[in-house]
Amino acid sequence: MSKNICAYFENRYSLEERSAVKSVVIDLNANYQLFIKRLFPHAKIIIDRFHVVQLINRAFDQLRVKILKQQGDKHSRIYKALKINWRLFHKDTEKINRSKTQYFRGLNE
């Protein structure tokens, strides 16, 4: 795949045009970084925001599951809070309604 991408840019744009590129936005695929430096020598590589947020969310979920496994007691309050209300941890803080009383299922409060 990288051969096709390299060939596309090398055949379609001159080195002078590619050198004028200031930034390139990519996902977290390490293979892209290898040939982007060659194709666009003066460009800064920027990782797109979506993939950074996705990586943070995955890491957060892995940590949450690790803590769940360490709890041992599946009837404990901490275990139930982390297990049942996992969506709440991913919610934007600005979208949380702090004035509204909410019943937490499984915690009985």
Side-chain angles (χ1 to χ4, degrees), residues 6 8 14 19 21 27 31 34 41 45 54 68 90 92 98-99 107:
C6 288
Y8 174 82
S14 68
S19 295
V21 173
D27 63 13
N31 291 329
L34 298 174
I45 296 176
Q54 187 181 45
L68 282 174
H90 288 277
D92 188 359
R98 298 177 198 288
S99 62
L107 296 178

Side-chain angles (χ1 to χ4, degrees), residues 63-108:
L63 178 63
R64 185 182 59 81
V65 169
K66 183 178 177 182
I67 292 170
L68 282 174
K69 288 179 180 178
Q70 290 174 351
Q71 281 298 310
D73 181 17
K74 293 185 178 184
H75 301 289
S76 74
R77 190 170 191 277
I78 294 172
Y79 184 91
K80 288 178 181 180
L82 291 173
K83 178 77 174 179
I84 294 169
N85 300 302
W86 65 270
R87 286 182 188 91
L88 188 61
F89 297 109
H90 288 277
K91 202 169 195 178
D92 188 359
T93 55
E94 294 174 6
K95 293 182 181 177
I96 295 175
N97 188 349
R98 298 177 198 288
S99 62
K100 181 182 173 188
T101 304
Q102 187 174 359
Y103 178 79
F104 288 104
R105 197 181 108 229
L107 296 178
N108 299 326

